[in-house]
Every structure is written in C-alpha cells, then in structure tokens.
Amino acid sequence: MSSLIQRVAVANRGEIASRVFATCRRLGIESQALYSDPDAGLPYVDDADVATRLPGSTPAETYLDAERVIHSIRAVGGQSVHPGYGFLSENADFARAVQDAGLLWLGPPPDAIEAMGSKIRAKDLMRAAGVPVLEAPEQPTEADLPLLVKASAGGGGRGMRVVRRLGDLDAEVESARAEAASAFGDGTVFVEPYVESGRHVEVQILFDTHGTGIAVGDRDCSLQRRHQKVLEEAPAPGLPDAVRAAMHKAAVAAGRAVGYVSAGTVEFLYDPAGERFWFLEMNTRLQVEHPVTECVTGIDLVAAQIGIAEGRTLLEVLGTDTTPEPRGHAIEVRLYAETPDAAATPQSGRFSRLQIPHDMAFDLLPRHGVRVDAGYADGSEVSTHYDAMLAKVIVWAADRPSALRALGRALRRSRLHGPVTNRDLLETMLQVDEVVAGTMTTTTLEQQLSGEHPIGGVPAGDTELGPYVAAVAIAVRDAAARRVQHGIQPGWRNVASQPQRTSFEVPGRDEPVVAEWYAGRDGFRHPTEDWTVVSATPDLVVLMVNGHRMRFEVHVDESGEMFLDNDGTIRERLRPLPRFTDPADAVASGSLLAPMPGTVVKVAVVAGAQVAAGDVVLVLEAMKMQHTVTAPHAGTVTEINVEPGTQVASGEVLAVVEENS
C-alpha cells in the first residue's frame, strides 16, 4: 500500500469541492480549494484548509487552464488532486500532467479516460467486450428515423440533436458540430437510432488497483430536460431482476475492458417494452448523482476513491468485494437558477436567502432523512460564467413513495429569494403520474413541458391574498420608520372615503397588481374579503382566512423585491411600484431585451436590415449554452447596440426592430 494521503486539492468549484472536503475532514485529510474571481465569495472557499486564487473569470482562464491549476496546487505543497466533475475531470492529458508533476491522481488511469473520452471509440471497445451497443446506420433512410446526433467528446446534452426529418439531418449535424467544438474543443459527432420511450439507467462501478471490480448499485436518470438530468434515484425502479443483473455484469465488463481504477459510471439506454438495454457511455469520474448511491449503500464514494488511490483493496476500503444490497430508496433533484419552463433560461444574480431544510450536508446520512449538497448560500452570487446548479436535494427513505413525499416537502419549505429557480418545476414534476408510478422515460419531462397543460408550478400572483399581505407589511414598516406621528396606525384616516392602494409588479402578470386596504383603530381590513390581520410586523404577517390561521414570512432584499412564504401553500415574489413612473425608465416599442446575463457570440443582422417575425437577430451564450434572440415581428432593424464579445445584463436593450407599417 502506498503512503497515506495527507492533503487533497480539488481542481473544481462549488458543491463538488465542498463534497470532497467533507470526506477529507472526516478522514483527517487537509484540503485545498481553487477559486476564480467570481467564486471568491462562495462557501466552498471557506470550507477548505487552504484556498488559492486563479485570477480571471472565464473557465478557459481558470479551471480549464491545466498548467495554472497544477502550478497552484504544487505552490502550496500539494500531494493529490481530485478532479470533481466537469472542467478537466475527464481530460486524459490533464490526468497525465498531474502525474508527471509528481501529484497523485484521484481518478482512473489516463488511458482509461482516453479510451472512453470518444464515444465512437468507446462503442467499438464495448462491442468487442460483449456489451450491447446501438448500431448506427451507415446511410440513414426514412425507416431509420428518428435519429440522434451526438458529440463524440460531449455530455450534458451539448452537441446533441434529435432528427425527425431526413432533410434536417445535415443541418442538425453541422449545428451539433459547432456546439460541440465550442463546448469541448472537438466537433466530432456521430449518429445513432433514437429510442423514443427509453429509460436512462446507469451502474456505479468501483475498481481497485489489484484488478477487483464490482457494481455498486444502479440509478435511474430518465427525467431529463434538453438532455440534461433533472431527477435521479436509486435503485432504478421497476427494473426486472434479470435485467438488473445483466446490466451490472455488463458495467463491470466495460470497466475491465479499459483497465479501469477508481469510481466510474456506465450508462445504459433501457427499453422497458423489450427488456433490452444498450451501452450509452462511460463517465470516468464521480457523477453528480452519486449521493443517491451513497444513501442506499452506505458507501462514501469519495472515501473509496481516496482509499483506492492509496493502494487499498476493495475489501479493505468497503469491507466487501461483492455488490451491496440497496437499503431503502433515495431520490435527488437538481435545483438550478433557471426558468421552470421548456426554455430553461439560465438566471444569474444574488441570493439574499437560500435555505433548504435538511438533516445533513455533503456527507452520509446516519438515518433516513434529507441531505443537501449546495454550492451557494445566503448572499451568494450566481455568475454567468459557470453552470447554474445551486444545490442537489437528496432524500433517503424506507421506500420510494415516502422518498417522493419527503422530497416534495423539503422543496416546498425551502426559502429561495433571488434569481428565478426551477423549484416549481421540480415540485410539480414529482406529482406527474409516470413519476409517481416509476415508469418515466427520457421523453416524459419534455412531453409534460410541451403539453396542453405543461407542468411548472402555479403562476405567482394568481390571488389577491399575497399582494394584500405585502401591502400590510409595507404599511407596518413605513409606520415604524416615520419620524412624525410615530404612534399613528398606518393608513389611518378620520373619514376613509376610499381604500389605500399599493401596486406591485408580479412575475407572470402583464399589468401591475393593486392591493386595496383600510387601516383604522381596529387594525387592517380588506374592502371585500373577510381577511383578519391577527398580527403584523415587517417580517411576519399572520391572517385568519376563512377560519384558517395563515402565517406569512416576509423577506425584502436589498433591491426592494419582496418574497412571501406560507410554508409552501402560497409562495410569491412581488416588487412594490412607485406611485409615479420616471419617463426615462420607458423602453421603446420593438426593443429586444437580453433574457439573461451573458455574452453576445453572434449578431446575425445589421442596422437597416429587413427581418421577418422569428428571424434570428443575435445569439447569446450563458451558462455554457447558446440562446437565440429573434425578431418579435416583421420590420426594420433600427438599432444594434452590441457586437460579438459584448457582456450584457438581463433586461439590457440589445437591438430594436420597428414594426413595418
């Protein structure tokens, strides 16, 4: 056995860095964080024993700069490197450079990474190892549709396109190549059959340096939006025993075929109708969804990676060298700063409050409960430079229905005050029939989002109750702040001829919402509703509504935006409007506003050009994804205010298209 590891540097950021540090603390190992300038204030930086700055903001000049990363680790006497996931985690050249620098690599051999780094080469290796693979048609015909275009070096849905018309194939291949080249530096793509109602099932494997490898359970990751996982669970529900055993055997064969060492994941596409499965890819790293496997097996996968790197056998690391039996059921959802609709538009900005009720963070749960692995906290800023995942909410329970119920409660009771998140989507997703039954496929979520009644939560502001509560809180706050008539009831009038009015801007509403209220010696009252204010402070308003006592927490951030939380029953965000609007704040008709902060990567038209409704005007890149901004109507482009490379803020006027008369 090699010498014990004394310090681990994580060549990554956010929640995965904090996750590794949690295990390091438990094992008595020192830790080192690397951080870019936008990440300087994130929690993981303070979680580490040593933190080293990587000057710059973009991934290319920070976490993807292998030479700088290795120099920063060696400069403080680093000993070993954990790659996390994303960035350089599956870069064979980086793994070799780490080893050449005399550092211990907490991952698989570079040759194994390289072998699985190309999906095309990986499929050849798997075919030779007897692992079933989807065979790509050499000359696709209409009978082969639908087809899936995939990036050979890709992941996370980037460089991936579904083709349903043969005439679209060439254009989609070129589009996938461009996105793959931008995201991975490799524009190689391939085409394979697209299985419409398949399930995404993956198997966790562990291999030691002595040639022993085992499957450590399986996970279902079928709920995806735009080919990115949203919910993962272990064990995979409804999987026949024979199929499960065959998948585990195939996963171990896949690892053995490339001389694998450490933790890895083999992903399969499963066809429930025919009880068949095919190899998709192998992730030569720790997966985002690894906590659900940890919950049901009791295995700390990061500790296993460290033990294996130290030369220990699986028997020494785990106490067993056989596949462990799962205990209970675990489900994880990914909480993102993004819109909860089909567009999934990334959001950025500061969270004045980010609180998710939990029993444990970043570590093994001692009993059934809620675990949260979060990369952000109160006061954290979500930048435009990196992935917008805020946290993973993981629930472990005795059975699957109990886990779904507990997960829904944790989401409802979370306080997320800042950029828009996908929390509403996650909550309602848990109630979809296929999800409840455990029969979801890779198309379930997309179908729900595009259906006649898409999921995504109850629109904010669908009742007058929230604005009324906000108006009461404002009135109480303003009364307390008055220098004169300090003891007078807010809104009090000798003769009230009409109610007081407070206007709010509410997301999802085209027009302002107006709350009406009276205040007098007997307190507040609504002009028409029987809503009794039991007590009111600027932070807490308690009402009696139809015989029910309702408690509203009121939070106001530094921008003045208000957030109301009623233990998940009612949840709203509102912005109080001034009584008079500054004309300078008006936006010209036809203005194209930035839907999110980002970087302009393409301007498709010039000032003076004629465009039709839906024509692409420019393309933004944010959170590593590209988003097109199109003309809202036919007309003339009268202004172009940006150029490629311009950094823009959300709501900024990018261009103006005047409608043709």
Side-chain angles (χ1 to χ4, degrees):
M1 185 176 70
S2 61
S3 60
L4 292 178
I5 292 172
Q6 302 298 328
R7 176 181 287 179
V8 171
V10 177
N12 219 291
R13 63 182 293 276
E15 59 89 17
I16 182 55
S18 289
R19 165 67 193 93
V20 175
F21 298 157
T23 290
C24 288
R25 283 192 297 271
R26 187 168 59 80
L27 298 179
I29 298 173
E30 291 185 352
S31 57
Q32 180 186 2
L34 304 177
Y35 65 91
S36 67
D37 291 338
D39 286 345
L42 293 188
Y44 83 96
V45 178
D46 290 331
D47 282 347
D49 297 302
V50 178
T52 304
R53 177 183 174 230
L54 298 175
S57 299
T58 67
E61 61 190 0
T62 55
Y63 305 105
L64 289 177
D65 188 334
E67 184 177 347
R68 175 178 285 183
V69 166
I70 292 172
H71 173 77
S72 298
I73 294 170
R74 293 190 66 191
V76 293
Q79 181 192 15
S80 64
V81 179
H82 192 293
Y85 38 71
F87 295 127
L88 296 168
S89 63
E90 293 180 283
N91 185 308
D93 290 338
F94 177 63
R96 290 191 183 99
V98 167
Q99 293 175 338
D100 291 344
L103 300 169
L104 186 62
W105 173 250
L106 301 184
D111 288 349
I113 298 175
E114 198 162 62
M116 288 300 180
S118 165
K119 290 184 174 64
I120 295 175
R121 183 183 175 194
K123 291 180 75 168
D124 291 339
L125 289 169
M126 295 302 100
R127 189 181 297 109
V131 178
V133 298
L134 279 170
E135 299 295 345
E138 291 186 9
Q139 295 293 331
T141 66
E142 292 287 345
D144 296 314
L145 296 175
L147 296 168
L148 185 64
V149 183
K150 297 177 72 174
S152 180
R158 299 178 187 90
M160 188 179 291
R161 301 288 189 279
V162 176
V163 180
R164 300 187 183 279
R165 297 191 309 174
L166 204 58
D168 296 337
L169 180 60
D170 290 345
E172 293 291 13
V173 166
E174 287 306 311
S175 177
R177 280 177 179 158
E179 188 169 84
S182 173
F184 313 112
D186 182 350
T188 305
V189 300
F190 64 96
V191 178
E192 67 183 19
Y194 179 59
V195 180
E196 288 277 11
S197 298
R199 285 175 56 186
H200 185 123
V201 180
E202 58 190 35
V203 178
Q204 177 74 57
I205 58 172
L206 283 175
F207 275 79
D208 62 23
T209 57
H210 306 277
T212 302
I214 64 171
V216 192
D218 45 74
R219 304 183 284 257
D220 187 293
C221 308
S222 299
L223 276 180
Q224 302 175 12
R225 178 171 58 169
R226 297 169 68 176
H227 306 293
Q228 293 193 349
K229 300 168 187 174
V230 178
L231 179 148
E232 303 100 354
E233 56 183 301
L239 205 61
D241 291 342
V243 172
R244 194 183 307 273
M247 271 191 189
H248 287 201
K249 182 179 179 180
V252 173
R256 201 172 301 284
V258 295
Y260 203 79
V261 173
S262 193
T265 298
V266 184
E267 300 188 347
F268 297 100
L269 180 63
Y270 171 56
D271 175 17
E275 294 190 358
R276 302 172 298 167
F277 64 89
W278 303 273
F279 171 82
L280 280 175
E281 63 180 340
M282 183 174 181
N283 294 120
T284 52
R285 54 171 170 80
L286 198 65
Q287 289 279 85
V288 176
E289 56 271 23
H290 76 273
V292 293
T293 295
E294 293 186 322
C295 286
V296 299
T297 63
I299 295 172
D300 183 331
L301 291 172
V302 174
Q305 288 182 298
I306 293 172
I308 289 169
E310 290 176 331
R312 301 173 189 267
T313 66
L314 284 183
L315 186 59
E316 292 173 317
V317 170
L318 307 179
T320 180
D321 54 7
T322 59
T323 299
E325 289 296 321
R327 303 170 301 162
H329 201 90
I331 304 177
E332 169 185 299
V333 290
R334 304 186 189 191
L335 184 66
Y336 277 88
E338 65 182 20
T339 56
D341 53 24
T345 306
Q347 304 291 297
S348 63
R350 180 179 178 273
F351 274 91
S352 57
R353 185 173 292 178
L354 203 165
Q355 300 170 358
I356 306 168
H358 59 273
D359 304 293
M360 184 68 71
F362 299 112
D363 216 336
L364 301 184
L365 285 162
R367 62 186 67 84
H368 294 158
V370 181
R371 165 178 164 179
V372 171
D373 290 8
Y376 298 84
D378 291 359
S380 293
E381 185 86 19
V382 181
S383 81
T384 62
H385 298 289
Y386 313 111
D387 187 85
M389 189 174 75
L390 303 170
K392 302 179 310 194
V393 185
I394 309 108
V395 168
W396 177 37
D399 51 54
R400 189 171 185 272
S402 299
L404 285 170
R405 180 177 61 194
L407 181 55
R409 186 176 189 274
L411 291 171
R412 284 193 304 274
R413 298 182 70 87
S414 296
R415 303 296 183 249
L416 309 173
H417 302 160
V420 174
T421 74
N422 67 334
R423 191 248 303 264
D424 286 353
L425 170 68
L426 298 177
E427 283 188 74
T428 51
M429 181 180 70
L430 298 179
Q431 302 170 38
V432 172
D433 290 344
E434 292 92 333
V435 177
V436 173
T439 58
M440 58 279 174
T441 69
T442 55
T443 59
T444 295
L445 187 51
E446 296 287 359
Q447 290 170 350
Q448 290 288 333
L449 285 165
S450 62
E452 183 179 351
H453 302 291
I455 63 177
V458 178
D462 63 344
T463 175
E464 292 184 27
L465 186 57
Y468 178 69
V469 170
V472 169
I474 291 172
V476 173
R477 179 197 66 194
D478 290 348
R482 278 203 298 262
R483 293 175 178 268
V484 296
Q485 298 180 329
H486 181 73
I488 301 297
Q489 177 75 23
W492 186 85
R493 296 290 185 273
N494 282 323
V495 179
S497 59
Q498 59 183 359
Q500 299 289 310
R501 293 180 175 85
T502 308
S503 299
F504 298 92
E505 181 182 83
V506 179
R509 290 292 190 92
D510 294 331
E511 299 295 330
V513 175
V514 179
E516 296 187 338
W517 51 280
Y518 290 100
R521 293 184 178 88
D522 297 326
F524 293 93
R525 63 182 177 88
H526 190 274
T528 58
E529 302 289 346
D530 184 20
W531 296 340
T532 303
V533 177
V534 177
S535 62
T537 71
D539 304 317
L540 181 66
V541 176
V542 181
L543 299 182
M544 287 295 292
V545 179
N546 298 325
H548 298 285
R549 188 181 179 94
M550 302 184 70
R551 184 176 181 273
F552 289 86
E553 295 176 24
V554 182
H555 175 69
V556 184
D557 68 14
E558 65 276 7
S559 73
E561 191 163 24
M562 303 183 72
F563 298 85
L564 308 181
D565 290 284
N566 173 239
D567 293 335
T569 306
I570 296 177
R571 187 169 59 237
E572 292 198 54
R573 61 191 300 160
L574 317 91
R575 182 177 296 278
L577 294 175
R579 295 184 64 184
F580 304 102
T581 303
D582 187 341
D585 292 336
V587 176
S589 175
S591 296
L592 304 186
L593 308 182
M596 73 209 77
T599 303
V600 177
V601 295
K602 178 182 178 181
V603 177
V605 298
V606 296
Q610 295 294 311
V611 293
D615 281 357
V616 176
V617 176
L618 52 87
V619 179
L620 283 178
E621 185 171 87
M623 311 294 186
K624 300 183 285 186
M625 298 289 283
Q626 292 191 350
H627 307 266
T628 57
V629 178
T630 60
H633 46 242
T636 303
V637 179
T638 58
E639 291 183 29
I640 293 288
N641 300 324
V642 294
E643 59 185 23
T646 302
Q647 295 278 335
V648 298
S650 180
E652 186 172 332
V653 178
L654 307 174
V656 177
V657 178
E658 288 190 2
E659 192 168 6
N660 292 334
S661 57

